[in-house]
Each structure stands twice: as structure tokens, then as C-alpha cells.
Amino acid sequence: MTRPVRPFQSRFGLLPVVRMDRAMQHRDAIDEIRAAWLTLRPEMDTTAVGTIGRVLRIARVVTLLSDEVLSGFGISRGEFDVLSAVRRSPEPLTSSDLARTLITSNASITKRMGQLERSGLAVRERSDSDRRVVYVRLTDAGVAKIDDAVPELLAFEASIASSLSNEQRDQFEEALRRMLGQLELRGSE
């Protein structure tokens, strides 16, 4: 059974809850990019651009819209990701753990942590057993902030995913899981 999803208001307007069938499909920016390359270099196979270009474009648009949703909580998507990772971890995390988990640089984590500390949402604490190790801990305000923000972000993400049927969503998720697994294998070699 599908849960009803409410439309989501953003600076791009109301994101309607719609199901797209073949009659509703249209050319998008990625189609235009492929067409331009076909004109310039007809011998090149741009098939992968259809997939990878859309994944990258979706990621960028979702990040921008997520920032908009989370601005109501006074945090960015990057700060949300740090708060969320620390909140759901059963073990204390270091900045390096966060960088690996979030697939970002240590410098990026340091910048996010500086902002979270200034906002009173997280602190860095030295390990009692090894003073070289610094753990990230959420303050009570940080726990409250992430606990308030998660339901809103989930509702936003559900509004985006609602444009696909349950079957399409399952197939899309499985295809992405397969692709991500292959990429992560490459990265570990």
C-alpha cells in the first residue's frame, strides 16, 4: 500500500505528486547534451551520459532543494549529513570516520564541524584512552535538531520519489544499488 505524499513547496515552486507515464515524458537537459554531442561528434557513443548525467543532475538538484528544506532548521545538507551520521552510529565517530562515511574530504568535515560547533549542535572530544583521537558528539541541541529535521527531509524525498510507481522505484533502486556496488568495488582496488 502506498502512503499518500503531500506536495512539497520549494523555491522552484510546488513539487507536485505525480506519476509520469510514457505520454508525459519529455526531453530534458541531458537529451540536449547528448544531441549536441551527436551533432559535434557523431562517432561517439553518449549512451552512458543518459544514465550518469541524470544521476549527477538529480543529485545536484536534490542537494539544492534539500538545502532549502533544511534552511528552515538552520543547517545545510552537508551539516545534516554529519548530524545524521553521528546520530545513527552506535559507536563514536572521528572526523576521519565521517569523511569515509560521507565520501568527502577531511577538510570538508572540519569546515562542517566548525559550523556545527559554533551553532552548539556538536562538539569534538578527545578520547580518554588515546589523546590523539578526537570523537564527534552531538549536543542535546544537535540531537533535537536532527530528530526534528529527519521527518521533514524524508517527506521531501518521498515527494520526489512519488513520481515513480512502487515497481519503478524498486527497479531504479536495484539498478542504482548494482551500479554503486560496482563503483565501490573499483574504489577499493
Side-chain angles (χ1 to χ4, degrees):
M1 180 175 182
T2 305
R3 264 185 35 195
V5 179
R6 70 181 195 271
F8 191 83
Q9 181 65 44
S10 80
R11 68 185 158 118
F12 298 108
L14 194 63
L15 295 179
V17 177
V18 295
R19 302 264 186 237
M20 288 184 68
D21 59 21
R22 291 216 179 267
M24 295 174 64
Q25 292 177 358
H26 65 280
R27 289 179 60 86
D28 62 17
I30 303 305
D31 292 322
E32 299 303 325
I33 290 168
R34 289 182 70 192
W37 278 115
L38 182 61
T39 300
L40 291 170
R41 301 278 308 273
E43 78 282 3
M44 290 192 329
D45 179 7
T46 62
T47 306
V49 173
T51 303
I52 303 303
R54 284 186 180 89
V55 167
L56 293 172
R57 193 168 181 89
I58 288 168
R60 183 66 183 135
V61 171
V62 168
T63 299
L64 290 171
L65 292 172
S66 295
D67 276 337
E68 190 173 305
V69 171
L70 294 168
S71 69
F73 296 93
I75 56 176
S76 69
R77 179 63 194 235
E79 293 159 356
F80 171 89
D81 290 342
V82 170
L83 293 172
S84 179
V86 175
R87 178 71 168 117
R88 65 179 188 267
S89 178
E91 301 294 325
L93 297 175
T94 65
S95 292
S96 293
D97 294 333
L98 284 167
R100 275 190 301 281
T101 298
L102 301 177
I103 313 172
T104 193
S105 67
N106 284 328
S108 178
I109 295 298
T110 298
K111 180 180 176 187
R112 293 173 191 175
M113 279 303 303
Q115 181 56 43
L116 291 170
E117 284 180 313
R118 284 188 295 280
S119 299
L121 302 176
V123 293
R124 290 177 264 204
E125 298 176 336
R126 294 213 175 271
S127 167
D128 292 334
S129 60
D130 184 347
R131 302 299 289 165
R132 295 171 296 175
V133 176
V134 178
Y135 292 111
V136 174
R137 181 181 64 77
L138 300 186
T139 63
D140 290 343
V143 170
K145 180 80 67 177
I146 194 65
D147 286 354
D148 288 344
V150 167
E152 280 299 310
L153 194 63
L154 289 175
F156 160 70
E157 291 174 352
S159 73
I160 294 170
S162 70
S163 66
L164 302 174
S165 70
N166 289 339
E167 181 182 349
Q168 289 170 326
R169 207 168 28 248
D170 291 346
Q171 291 170 348
F172 186 53
E173 188 174 333
E174 183 53 36
L176 291 172
R177 183 181 292 112
R178 190 175 312 119
M179 185 180 287
L180 180 59
Q182 289 300 310
L183 288 169
E184 288 177 339
L185 282 174
R186 278 188 194 178
S188 66
E189 293 174 349

